[in-house]
Amino acid sequence: MNLSAHLCAGTDEEPPDPAAAPEAVAGECIEALEQLPHDLPIFLVGMMGAGKTTIGRGLARALGREFIDLDHELEARCGVRVPVIFEIEGEAGFRRRESTALQECTQRRGIILATGGGAVLAEDNRRLLRQRGIVMYLRASVDELYRRTCRDRNRPLLATADPRGTLRDLMTKREPLYTEVADLVIETGSTPISTLVKAILPKLQAYEKKL
């Protein structure tokens, strides 16, 4: 089955609702709008379950910026959920589509972009992230990541007999790459989203990066 021909060349299927994803519901309202002294895009990287979507949405509301979730962008383009893309094209096919979408999205100014957990695997992706915006690594422990993702059926890489062990292995492989691209590192833990967003804002306002 060819995903490009069957799904991405125009579809009548309703694009997935980003709000349906477990990470997408912040649960808390960020009321006060702040401004940054620049329009550099802000890229969020980190493991699945680290809070990239929830924190990204909170930051976007607080800063009056557009929020983009890269996985949701891919789903909207193809008309199916991420697991279906994995099923039809495999991880390699998904990564190719992810890199194309990342190349396009990172050119946009003034956005908050939540990348997929594996977006940093490709060297070209890491280069684009470093060169085009401010990269924030959202870090959480394996136990916390497992707690947040164990009931999520939209995580094809965790469809294993030992999802906690899979998370541990993925973390071991990916953490050096997250650290490599990060301008800022934020520990998410169990802190409420509103508290995290309020703590992140002054860091972004104070951070200077010349591109």
Side-chain angles (χ1 to χ4, degrees):
M1 187 176 182
N2 185 285
L3 184 64
S4 298
H6 186 71
L7 299 171
C8 292
T11 176
D12 293 329
E13 184 172 345
E14 186 72 13
D17 178 8
E23 276 190 329
V25 181
E28 294 162 277
C29 181
I30 311 297
E31 295 180 356
L33 287 180
E34 302 285 348
Q35 293 292 328
L36 297 183
H38 55 74
D39 67 347
L40 292 178
I42 297 166
F43 307 135
L44 307 182
V45 301
M47 288 285 291
M48 61 186 85
K52 298 184 297 294
T53 298
T54 45
I55 292 171
R57 287 184 183 279
L59 286 172
R61 285 196 299 272
L63 295 170
R65 289 190 171 202
E66 178 185 3
F67 172 74
I68 300 173
D69 182 291
L70 197 62
D71 281 351
H72 297 161
E73 177 74 13
L74 285 168
E75 290 178 339
R77 292 181 181 201
C78 294
V80 296
R81 305 302 294 270
V82 166
V84 178
I85 304 175
F86 266 77
E87 180 182 351
I88 296 173
E89 292 192 342
E91 184 175 358
F94 173 81
R95 295 300 174 201
R96 285 193 294 271
R97 293 187 182 278
E98 180 179 57
S99 293
T100 298
L102 187 73
Q103 158 71 24
E104 297 172 8
C105 290
T106 52
Q107 297 182 70
R108 301 174 62 177
R109 307 286 287 192
I111 64 167
I112 309 290
L113 175 68
T115 65
V120 296
L121 295 175
E123 183 177 353
D124 283 348
N125 290 353
R126 298 197 300 275
R127 176 181 56 80
L128 291 177
L129 291 168
R130 288 194 303 267
Q131 292 180 353
R132 293 182 173 177
I134 297 175
V135 186
M136 184 180 303
Y137 170 27
L138 302 184
R139 184 162 56 191
S141 69
V142 170
D143 286 343
E144 184 67 19
L145 295 172
Y146 178 74
R147 184 186 69 78
R148 297 175 186 174
T149 60
C150 63
R151 294 183 178 85
D152 188 350
R153 296 296 176 263
N154 201 40
R155 309 279 186 181
L157 291 180
L158 296 186
T160 67
D162 181 15
R164 188 192 296 269
T166 299
L167 280 170
R168 187 179 301 108
D169 292 343
L170 289 172
M171 173 75 90
T172 299
K173 179 179 181 181
R174 294 177 179 179
E175 177 144 33
L177 304 179
Y178 296 139
T179 303
E180 173 189 326
V181 300
D183 296 305
L184 298 169
V185 178
I186 304 296
E187 299 285 347
T188 61
S190 58
T191 306
I193 298 301
S194 59
T195 303
L196 276 173
V197 169
K198 289 175 183 176
I200 290 170
L201 288 173
K203 296 179 184 296
L204 287 173
Q205 289 168 333
Y207 190 80
E208 296 184 7
K209 183 171 183 176
K210 294 182 180 180
L211 300 181

